[in-house]
Amino acid sequence: MEEQLLDEMLTPDDRDFVTALASGLEVILAFDESHPSMTLSEVAARTGMNRAKARRFLLTLHALGYVRKKQRYFELAPRVLQLGYSFLSANNYRSAIQQYLEEITNECGESSSLGVLDGDEVIYVARSAARHRLMAITLSIGTRLPAAHTSMGRVLLAQLPETELDAYLERLTLERYTDKTFTSKSELKKCIHKARQQGYAIADQELDPGLRSLAVPAFDANGKLLGAINISTNAARIDLDTLLKEYLPLLQSKARLIRTTISC
């Protein structure tokens, strides 16, 4: 009975849902690259909380060491890194995959990453960066990108049951990032179905001009989905033919190695 209850996905109106915990995490997630330091009013505005509620959570997080205060401004403290470290420590396969990502970079000279689906975004959990920079933003562990417009995101969305994929598309709001960005949900769904059928996905300059990427799913020896691995390139330097004929076999070979060497 206990295991059955733990398997259920709670909703915010469920009596077992801890609203205070959810709100505290929401305050932590309000800080990002564009908002590294905020006043109480700014935190309240970004989280949709009133000032009194936001103040209580900020002061609690400050007392626990997750937030520090400098005059009127709040910012995350280094202790927040322990939350991410707990995930990385619990998923010890990451260090093994890191070696494969570095091998990919050494063999083709391009950046390679492991990403997992978190809500409607892909979060980077391992990365081997090439020397050249691909995007205006810095990609690193913890970076979040919209799943709809990334090769890793589409590969991971392709692994969802059809009902979950439909629910995702229903709530999705498509944004235009470049003139190549998909803005039709029906076209995006076709693209995801294609990724499911062929076992890989390509995102060609949809999120950032010049960024072209290719991804395949990564499974462990038991068939458990670990995430997606990709190769990111510059479209002016690497054409689609090279991506498919040279980089796709390389990614697929590493995915096979992951499946034969990692058991979670």
Side-chain angles (χ1 to χ4, degrees):
M1 182 65 177
E2 183 179 354
E3 291 182 358
Q4 183 180 355
L5 290 173
L6 290 175
D7 286 339
E8 295 178 358
M9 181 68 72
L10 296 180
T11 59
D13 58 350
D14 194 287
R15 67 176 184 178
D16 289 326
F17 187 89
V18 183
T19 304
L21 175 59
S23 297
L25 293 173
E26 189 177 354
V27 169
I28 290 176
L29 293 174
F31 295 88
D32 57 21
E33 185 177 10
S34 301
H35 305 84
S37 179
M38 292 185 286
T39 63
L40 168 59
S41 297
E42 290 170 333
V43 171
R46 276 186 59 78
T47 58
M49 299 178 188
N50 59 49
R51 282 174 51 89
K53 183 177 180 180
R55 177 179 177 275
R56 289 198 302 272
F57 284 111
L58 282 169
L59 292 179
T60 300
L61 289 168
H62 180 265
L64 293 172
Y66 291 108
V67 166
R68 56 190 179 191
K69 189 174 184 294
K70 294 183 177 180
Q71 297 179 338
R72 296 175 52 245
Y73 290 88
F74 294 88
E75 59 184 34
L76 296 182
R79 189 175 184 184
V80 169
L81 294 172
Q82 291 181 346
L83 301 177
Y85 180 74
S86 296
F87 169 80
L88 297 177
S89 298
N91 295 276
N92 54 17
Y93 62 81
R94 188 191 66 88
S95 59
I97 293 181
Q98 180 68 37
Q99 296 180 27
Y100 293 130
L101 299 181
E102 291 172 2
E103 290 175 5
I104 291 172
T105 299
N106 290 336
E107 291 181 43
C108 70
E110 305 291 346
S111 297
S112 183
S113 305
L114 169 70
V116 298
L117 198 61
D118 185 28
D120 297 344
E121 298 176 312
V122 168
I123 181 170
Y124 283 62
V125 296
R127 179 166 170 79
S128 172
R131 293 183 179 180
H132 37 262
R133 187 170 178 176
L134 294 170
M135 294 182 65
I137 64 172
T138 300
L139 297 177
S140 59
I141 294 175
T143 294
R144 291 174 174 270
L145 295 177
H149 307 300
T150 61
S151 59
M152 289 196 295
R154 288 179 183 166
V155 160
L156 294 170
L157 289 168
Q159 308 305 312
L160 295 177
E162 198 66 15
T163 53
E164 290 185 29
L165 177 59
D166 287 339
Y168 162 78
L169 292 169
E170 178 68 25
R171 66 176 179 268
L172 180 65
T173 300
L174 289 171
E175 296 184 33
R176 181 178 290 279
Y177 296 92
T178 74
D179 59 0
K180 293 181 177 292
T181 302
F182 275 93
T183 56
S184 165
K185 290 187 179 182
S186 62
E187 289 301 313
L188 176 61
K189 187 174 183 178
K190 289 179 183 178
C191 188
I192 295 170
H193 280 167
K194 184 178 180 181
R196 181 184 293 166
Q197 181 180 20
Q198 64 191 12
Y200 67 86
I202 291 176
D204 189 11
Q205 305 178 78
E206 295 180 43
L207 189 61
D208 193 75
L211 177 65
R212 181 174 284 160
S213 65
L214 166 73
V216 300
F219 299 90
D220 74 356
N222 299 312
K224 176 186 174 183
L225 180 66
L226 300 178
I229 57 173
N230 83 337
I231 292 177
S232 301
T233 71
N234 187 296
R237 189 178 63 253
I238 304 297
D239 58 28
L240 288 170
D241 194 52
T242 300
L243 204 66
L244 287 172
K245 290 184 177 179
E246 297 182 19
Y247 290 1
L248 178 57
L250 174 59
L251 264 186
Q252 290 172 329
S253 68
K254 299 305 179 184
R256 286 193 294 270
L257 281 172
I258 291 170
R259 189 153 195 164
T260 57
T261 59
I262 296 176
S263 179
C264 296

